[in-house]
């Protein structure tokens, strides 16, 4: 057992425990994940994802890896962009999320390769993908540098990483955002997903996640070039982009 500590929301836990605790959250919320996303963001997560998909400069035939892809929103967007001649992998560490995602895409007539894997140990070759995406996933990973290093490794030279994640909200909005996050979110989680704790974790994990500039530096540290970010909804989320040269 590792003697290193990390955080799970506001709790301090052993590094070895975090992945299991995160797994519990997503096994618990998987069936209600999509409806909860719409309710708690008032549909805004669709706008954030739409912007992300439009930011990528993909061509027909490109290869894309969607990490922590969950119920498949970005994978669907990528598949439309790269066409039948392209390759889009929907991946996630959590079987419940992946099953919901795979079934949902199948119901829409999209047959994509699906793999259950940990972002920190990707089962893909070096220099393979034109684009790697991770939406609302990095926050949950225990060793973020290791995951970013893996994302870098599997990208082709010239390939792009897009990280869509909750970030640091603009200062004047903090009080109202805190009220929303710590009072309303767990209540909505309790009423809709029958799970207040997972949404309490969501609020806490957002506060513990590196802010815009810190994540930018982390991406640069693992080797990404031209790293930049775009705030959306007053910094509630940020889209970070980096290129592998
Ligand atoms: C909030 S969901 C995001 C799902 C989807 N990308 C979206 O934007 O709707 C976070 C996902 O990260 C996944 N995840 C957490 N840790 C992971 C890891 N180490 N490797 C891969 N996926 C992970 C969870 O299983 C979960 O499905």
């Amino acid at each position: 057992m590792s003697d290193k500590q990390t955080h799970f929301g506001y709790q301090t836990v052993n590094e070895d425990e975090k992945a299991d605790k995160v797994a519990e959250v997503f096994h618990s919320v998987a069936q209600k994940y999509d409806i909860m996303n719409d309710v708690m963001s008032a549909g805004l997560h669709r706008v954030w994802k739409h912007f992300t998909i439009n930011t990528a400069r993909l061509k027909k035939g490109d290869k894309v890896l969607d990490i922590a892809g969950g119920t498949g929103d970005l994978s669907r967007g990528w598949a439309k962009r790269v066409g039948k001649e392209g390759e889009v992998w929907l991946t996630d560490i959590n079987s419940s999320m992946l099953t919901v995602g795979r079934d949902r895409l199948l119901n829409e007539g999209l047959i994509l390769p699906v793999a259950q894997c940990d972002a920190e140990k990707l089962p893909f070759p070096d220099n393979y993908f034109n684009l790697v995406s991770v939406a609302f996933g990095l926050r949950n990973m225990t060793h973020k540098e290791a995951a970013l290093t893996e994302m870098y490794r599997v990208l082709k030279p010239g390939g792009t990483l897009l990280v869509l994640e909750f970030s640091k909200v603009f200062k004047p909005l903090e009080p109202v955002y805190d009220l929303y996050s710590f009072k309303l979110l767990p209540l909505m989680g309790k009423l809709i997903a029958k799970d207040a704790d997972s949404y309490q974790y969501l609020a806490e994990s957002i506060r513990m996640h590196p802010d815009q500039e810190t994540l930018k530096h982390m991406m640069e540290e693992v080797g990404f070039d031209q790293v930049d970010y775009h705030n959306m909804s007053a910094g509630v989320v940020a889209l970070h982009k980096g290129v592998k040269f």
Side-chain angles (χ1 to χ4, degrees):
M1 204 188 202
S2 157
D3 54 4
K4 289 202 187 132
Q5 307 276 292
T6 187
H7 50 80
F8 171 75
Y10 287 168
Q11 296 171 42
T12 301
V13 297
N14 192 286
E15 274 197 346
D16 297 338
E17 291 173 314
K18 175 158 172 167
D20 287 345
K21 287 183 162 290
V22 170
E24 258 176 52
V25 167
F26 289 102
H27 284 308
S28 164
V29 303
Q31 292 299 329
K32 297 279 185 203
Y33 178 81
D34 290 321
I35 175 95
M36 273 302 290
N37 266 355
D38 277 333
V39 173
M40 63 189 186
S41 74
L44 268 178
H45 77 105
R46 293 170 185 258
V47 178
W48 301 329
K49 288 169 178 164
H50 185 76
F51 180 84
T52 303
I53 290 162
N54 282 322
T55 295
R57 292 206 195 99
L58 283 171
K59 303 183 302 301
K60 296 283 177 208
D62 276 354
K63 297 187 177 77
V64 183
L65 175 63
D66 186 14
I67 293 177
T71 59
D73 281 345
L74 286 189
S75 289
R76 181 203 297 109
W78 303 139
K80 286 185 184 152
R81 289 298 169 105
V82 304
K84 287 210 175 346
E85 50 288 43
E87 195 176 310
V88 177
W89 283 82
L90 169 62
T91 70
D92 199 286
I93 199 169
N94 188 285
S95 58
S96 304
M97 292 292 284
L98 212 45
T99 303
V100 174
R102 181 203 57 194
D103 291 353
R104 194 174 157 218
L105 296 181
L106 277 176
N107 287 340
E108 295 172 19
L110 270 178
I111 304 174
L112 303 184
V114 172
Q116 186 179 356
C117 58
D118 184 348
E120 297 180 22
K121 292 175 225 111
L122 291 172
F124 297 100
D126 298 356
N127 306 320
Y128 189 77
F129 292 101
N130 301 91
L131 179 83
V132 172
S133 62
V134 55
F136 305 110
L138 189 65
R139 197 182 67 248
N140 301 293
M141 294 170 193
T142 309
H143 306 101
K144 294 175 187 39
E145 285 84 0
L148 289 169
T149 303
E150 278 292 84
M151 296 174 200
Y152 187 87
R153 178 183 67 75
V154 300
L155 274 170
K156 285 181 185 179
T160 301
L161 170 66
L162 291 177
V163 183
L164 178 64
E165 189 51 272
F166 291 105
S167 206
K168 185 134 180 74
V169 73
F170 296 176
K171 193 100 188 133
L173 292 179
E174 268 175 12
V176 66
Y177 187 55
D178 282 350
L179 190 71
Y180 171 78
S181 308
F182 290 104
K183 296 280 180 239
L184 275 179
L185 261 189
L187 183 64
M188 286 190 241
K190 186 172 167 193
L191 294 176
I192 300 168
K194 311 283 176 245
D195 179 353
D197 290 352
S198 292
Y199 289 90
Q200 176 76 25
Y201 163 72
L202 169 64
E204 292 178 4
S205 66
I206 291 171
R207 301 308 185 285
M208 299 306 287
H209 188 64
D211 65 11
Q212 287 84 339
E213 280 296 314
T214 310
L215 178 55
K216 180 179 175 193
H217 291 307
M218 286 167 69
M219 289 172 65
E220 287 167 345
E221 280 292 299
V222 305
F224 283 100
D225 273 291
Q226 295 180 5
V227 181
D228 216 343
Y229 58 85
H230 178 84
N231 284 311
M232 289 184 266
S233 307
V236 169
V237 302
L239 176 64
H240 282 71
K241 180 177 173 183
V243 179
K244 173 174 172 177
F245 280 128

